[in-house]
Amino acid sequence: MVVSAREEASKIGVEILKKGGNAFDAMMATELALAVSYPSAGNIGGGGFMIFRKNDGSIGALDYREKAPIKSSRDMFLDDKGKIVDELSTSGGLSVGVPGTIAGVFEAHQKYGSLELHEIFEPVIELAEKGVKITTKQKKRIDENRKYFRKINKSVIKFDKDFKENEIIKFPMLAKTLKKIMLNGKDEFYEGETAEKLVEFIRQNGGIITMDDLKTYKAIWREPIVFDYKNLRIISMSPPSSGGICINQIMSMIEPYEIKLFKHNSSEYIKLLVEAERRSFADRSHFLGDPDFIDIPTEKLLSKEYLTFRMKNFSFESPTKSDDIGYGKIDLIESNETTHYSIVDQYGNAIAATTTLNGTFGSKLYIQELGFFLNNEMDDFSIKPGYPNMYGLIGGEANKIEPGKRMLSSMSPTIVEKNNNLFMTLGTPGGSTIITSIVQTILNVHEFEMSMHEAVNSGRFHHQWKPDSIRIESNFFNNKIVKDLKISGYKIYDNGSIGRVDGILVRPDKTLEGGADERGDDKAFGF
Ligand code: DON
């Protein structure tokens, strides 16, 4: 089964499985097919993370996150007076991090894939040539962004058009680029003609990525974050994503409570989760960043003693003020558009992968000749410590810009085991809300006994320490609960829908149930 943001991508992933390919082959196909069919987030100009669990129980994590260019520097987005220059880190050439997606899919395929490259690439190239239908939701997203496409690009790009719903859009240039990558391998993207064209294009648009940046880019295998929650074992992404550590902290902080006794999305349940989230995000902003550049006190941050201590001042009566808690005291011995897909193959291997350009259509820079958008991932660094990024996340020194460093992420592809067997694979876009959406979806299935479909489609809420408010999808919550929370002293706001979770659940009879989020055009396919 494959669940992703687009029907076309899920179908191609499943075709690969039907041909006898495994989850890693299907990953490469699905990731590339999303770059064709879901260009606001699917990409070859961005990066991502993947968690796997093979049928023998072995697990791993792949980091194909973008990195900062060699010529980058800590204050590159500030003016002479130290003030943030508007939009410099979120659009145009300087906002682009060195892309990791092609390195990522090749690394996964080379290590664990089984099909020939052409068997995987050909259906994707065909999709790009034949084109994809523009859905109602996609049309809306394109229309909202046309003014930015015009502002950021030197010439009119193919997306700057008044598309009709269901109109077919073809991608001959992207097909050509993919063909070259199929024939010449990943070096085409990182050292070949494609690399040269990309570097020249970025330079013309004010960016600083060089051939050296591309040549030295590597996808990195990392140890995933693994922890127990009651009788589940949860496997999630390690730094440079904050996902695994924050999910571990939040779930450990709430573990002592009998969650089943709360009503789903009742004010007690919301208060408990929100207070755990607040504490975890405060730690995130101070301690987390790229582990190759900073020391993260992971063991301490995840220890039961520390987390019990952090929750000591929690009470159902009144909120803790974010200004009063800050990050935890640890003695250091010396981290809006993404997409997730989940795969379980017929052999029992599972994959969770989240990939992104960061903002919708990334930096909005579109390289016509090669046919793809470039990310604006540089904004995930703390461009000025203490100031919020696009997602309102406050970064600290740990996540400052340094050449070659990876920016801190919230992306949390996650796999869950129950009684040593595969139980779930899931993930979502949503910037900082990714973390809290994953926690709630796992709890929906495990504590509230929902199906995967119900779990991904029920209402969500989110707290990230600062701003000191609960974000909710108010159409899912009745007024009484909102009133209750306000009376207790919580501030509440609605900023539109939260995430699009795509997951697969292994049911007790071993059949698979796909959960595709109805907030998007997401689709599950299986056989
Ligand atoms: O890595 C991160 O945390 C962000 N760049 C993810 C962006 C995202 O999820 C946007 N989606 N709505």
Side-chain angles (χ1 to χ4, degrees), residues 49-304:
F49 296 105
M50 182 265 277
I51 293 286
F52 74 80
R53 180 187 186 275
K54 296 200 340 187
N55 53 9
D56 61 3
S58 58
I59 56 171
L62 184 63
D63 160 3
Y64 53 103
R65 179 74 161 166
E66 299 93 324
K67 63 171 186 175
I70 297 164
K71 287 190 187 152
S72 65
S73 55
R74 182 196 151 112
D75 295 337
M76 62 188 274
F77 297 115
L78 308 183
D79 66 14
D80 297 347
K81 297 192 180 73
K83 260 188 62 192
I84 293 171
V85 182
D86 272 355
E87 294 175 15
L88 205 57
S89 67
T90 53
S91 56
L94 270 187
S95 70
V96 184
V98 184
T101 297
I102 290 294
V105 292
F106 271 83
E107 184 63 37
H109 175 260
Q110 193 184 7
K111 194 149 181 203
Y112 297 114
S114 65
L115 296 184
E116 299 286 335
L117 277 182
H118 74 90
E119 293 179 277
I120 298 170
F121 270 73
E122 274 160 7
V124 181
I125 294 169
E126 195 188 318
L127 179 69
E129 281 166 348
K130 284 199 173 149
V132 287
K133 259 191 202 161
I134 303 222
T135 67
T136 311
K137 285 175 182 148
Q138 269 183 320
K139 175 178 162 47
K140 187 165 169 269
R141 208 168 297 150
I142 290 170
D143 287 346
E144 284 163 1
N145 280 282
R146 285 181 65 192
K147 56 177 181 291
Y148 304 112
F149 295 155
R150 230 164 292 156
K151 187 171 158 196
I152 303 298
N153 289 278
K154 289 191 196 301
S155 49
V156 181
I157 68 166
K158 75 181 296 150
F159 287 89
D160 185 9
K161 189 184 150 190
D162 189 11
F163 290 101
K164 293 187 194 61
E165 277 165 33
N166 292 329
E167 186 176 338
I168 304 279
I169 178 167
K170 295 183 180 180
F171 300 100
M173 302 316 261
L174 179 57
K176 230 170 110 187
T177 303
L178 290 170
K179 230 179 252 171
K180 287 175 86 174
I181 297 173
M182 172 179 80
L183 295 173
N184 303 332
K186 91 171 191 1
D187 287 354
E188 174 61 34
F189 190 89
Y190 290 98
E191 300 187 33
E193 203 187 336
T194 299
E196 275 160 18
K197 285 187 175 153
L198 181 57
V199 165
E200 179 51 22
F201 175 80
I202 293 173
R203 193 190 62 75
Q204 281 171 9
N205 285 282
I208 52 174
I209 291 178
T210 60
M211 286 299 284
D212 259 1
D213 283 313
L214 289 176
K215 264 187 206 153
T216 52
Y217 184 86
K218 283 206 165 41
I220 302 174
W221 292 101
R222 307 231 182 236
E223 288 291 317
I225 297 286
V226 183
F227 67 98
D228 291 333
Y229 171 82
K230 300 184 181 172
N231 62 337
L232 302 182
R233 183 172 176 246
I234 293 169
I235 304 146
S236 191
M237 195 61 219
S238 41
S241 175
S242 58
I245 290 188
C246 290
I247 292 171
N248 186 339
Q249 284 196 315
I250 294 166
M251 294 191 81
S252 298
M253 283 189 261
I254 65 170
E255 194 175 12
Y257 295 83
E258 202 48 69
I259 308 275
K260 279 187 186 4
L261 300 181
F262 299 121
K263 257 186 77 189
H264 180 249
N265 283 355
S266 60
S267 51
E268 281 78 21
Y269 175 67
I270 296 173
K271 285 176 190 173
L272 174 65
L273 245 72
V274 156
E275 291 302 334
E277 291 168 3
R278 182 200 306 280
R279 286 158 176 78
S280 178
F281 275 87
D283 280 351
R284 179 195 192 276
S285 94
H286 185 74
F287 293 110
L288 303 189
D290 183 343
D292 297 337
F293 283 72
I294 58 161
D295 288 322
I296 300 174
T298 309
E299 214 174 295
K300 181 78 196 268
L301 285 170
L302 300 180
S303 76
K304 293 270 186 256

Side-chain angles (χ1 to χ4, degrees), residues 49 65 284 336-338 356-359 377 380 391 408-411 428-432 434 500:
F49 296 105
R65 179 74 161 166
R284 179 195 192 276
N336 278 338
E337 188 67 30
T338 298
T356 192
L357 290 166
N358 194 21
E377 220 75 54
D380 271 348
Y391 302 100
L408 183 62
S409 173
S410 301
M411 291 191 284
T428 180
S432 49
I434 291 172
R500 283 179 296 282

